[in-house]
Amino acid sequence: MHSATLLFSIISLLIWVVLAFFRGGFWQLSAFDDDVLPHEELTSRPSVVAIVPARDEAETIAHTVESLAAQSYSGELRIYVVDDHSEDGTPDVVRAVNSSISAERRITILQADSLPSGWTGKLWALQQGVAKAGTVAPDYYWFTDADILHAPDTLQRLVSRAEAERRDLVSLMVLLHAKSLAERLLIPAFLYFFLKLYVPRWIADPKSRTAGAAGGCILLRETALQRMGGLAAIRGEVIDDCALARAVKRSDGNIWMGLTRKSISLRAYTTFTEIRDMIARTAFTQLGYSPWLLLG
């Protein structure tokens, strides 16, 4: 009995030693904290198209598009909301916001076509926005979820890093909602698990195969999207953000993922079941739905 306990303790210790010292320092995030890292002044003003895929997001989308329209970015910024057949009046909410903001940052509302075979819903909605943006030929696309409240300088910081470091994809993990009991117990553990899988230091290293991104806030260089074959190259992926990062990196792209507390997710998970379903769509999918890998 004592031998078994000792063996288990040694194995546990070895696992933690490996995680702490041989897993890219995934828990050391000061070098990827975008809120405190320096940002160079932009010498040019690349054009950006922000694309927001939205399906039944009436509860949060007003805050999202208002924060996009309020960006302090001095370059050209166009905002497209792609309505993915919402049934809760999402487009009406966006139209109401449109009437209250300056014409300079008016939002264009697009209606997504019917989902074709082989595409996931979010990627198809993004593709509709990219197709529309092709008429203005932007330098960057800013993919953002419809439940993110962005800080006014978010785009400025994203473009600054992309330009200064010659990054093709820059992504920020925003501050997640953690107020309910279920959120406080599980969201930190989920983030810890995510960072184990997608180590920021390895993501930023061109020599490493690790590629990851946070889908709520991604800035993507237009030429990188074309080089990877467009969104059609990942059209069937469930974890679209990490699949996008992987495709960009495989096509010799330079990527970076950091974190911010200035931009906030408005998505609330009030029950353990809701968080379980979210994890099943993300981390568990990445493990191939294998209970053995999850246990490991």
Side-chain angles (χ1 to χ4, degrees):
M1 182 67 177
H2 292 295
S3 298
T5 302
L6 178 61
L7 178 61
F8 181 81
S9 300
I10 292 174
I11 293 174
S12 179
L13 175 61
L14 289 174
I15 289 173
W16 281 107
V17 167
V18 170
L19 289 176
F21 300 104
F22 301 99
R23 189 69 189 164
F26 72 93
W27 48 274
Q28 297 175 319
L29 297 174
S30 59
F32 300 93
D33 188 341
D34 198 65
D35 294 348
V36 299
L37 291 173
H39 298 86
E40 295 187 13
E41 289 292 329
L42 288 171
T43 57
S44 62
R45 295 291 183 269
S47 59
V48 179
V49 169
I51 302 176
V52 188
R55 183 173 186 177
D56 295 334
E57 299 285 1
E59 185 176 348
T60 60
I61 197 167
H63 299 291
T64 297
V65 294
E66 285 172 352
S67 70
L68 292 175
Q71 289 298 301
S72 58
Y73 185 64
S74 56
E76 181 182 4
L77 171 61
R78 297 172 184 255
I79 305 166
Y80 296 162
V81 172
V82 185
D83 176 47
D84 189 14
H85 309 283
S86 297
E87 298 179 352
D88 66 346
T90 293
D92 296 330
V93 174
V94 178
R95 292 187 188 98
V97 173
N98 243 347
S99 64
S100 64
I101 61 178
S102 65
E104 182 184 12
R105 288 285 168 85
R106 287 285 169 84
I107 300 119
T108 299
I109 304 173
L110 306 175
Q111 179 61 53
D113 295 334
S114 299
L115 183 66
S117 176
W119 285 80
T120 57
K122 180 179 177 180
L123 284 170
W124 179 240
L126 288 174
Q127 174 61 25
Q128 308 293 288
V130 168
K132 175 66 174 179
T135 61
V136 298
D139 297 303
Y140 289 96
Y141 298 104
W142 185 12
F143 298 153
T144 174
D145 287 347
D147 58 0
I148 307 294
L149 179 63
H150 292 285
D153 64 342
T154 301
L155 181 57
Q156 182 78 12
R157 290 187 286 142
L158 288 168
V159 175
S160 172
R161 186 167 305 284
E163 290 287 287
E165 300 180 8
R166 299 182 182 277
R167 303 283 184 179
D168 294 297
L169 183 151
V170 177
S171 175
L172 289 176
M173 298 179 66
V174 304
L175 183 65
L176 295 185
H177 200 275
K179 295 182 179 180
S180 70
L181 176 62
E183 290 170 334
R184 291 183 178 184
L185 285 176
L186 297 181
I187 292 299
F190 169 70
L191 290 177
Y192 191 70
F193 180 78
F194 181 88
L195 291 170
K196 284 183 186 178
L197 287 177
Y198 304 103
V199 181
R201 195 178 309 278
W202 292 352
I203 290 171
D205 183 358
K207 297 179 181 179
S208 171
R209 296 176 59 186
T210 301
C217 182
I218 293 177
L219 185 75
L220 176 64
R221 198 182 294 271
E222 195 277 336
T223 53
L225 179 62
Q226 297 303 319
R227 191 171 62 242
M228 63 171 263
L231 292 178
I234 59 169
R235 59 185 177 274
E237 296 286 348
V238 175
I239 309 180
D240 50 87
D241 45 11
C242 292
L244 176 61
R246 188 164 55 249
V248 171
K249 199 167 191 179
R250 284 178 176 173
S251 58
D252 296 324
N254 194 351
I255 69 177
W256 187 88
M257 183 185 75
L259 65 143
T260 179
R261 293 167 298 283
K262 292 183 178 180
S263 296
I264 303 168
S265 171
L266 303 175
R267 178 78 63 196
Y269 299 96
T270 57
T271 67
F272 288 92
T273 299
E274 290 176 346
I275 297 179
R276 180 203 66 192
D277 292 343
M278 180 269 290
I279 292 174
R281 293 193 306 270
T282 54
F284 199 31
T285 299
Q286 187 65 21
L287 296 179
Y289 299 103
S290 169
W292 296 109
L293 286 177
L294 181 62
L295 181 61

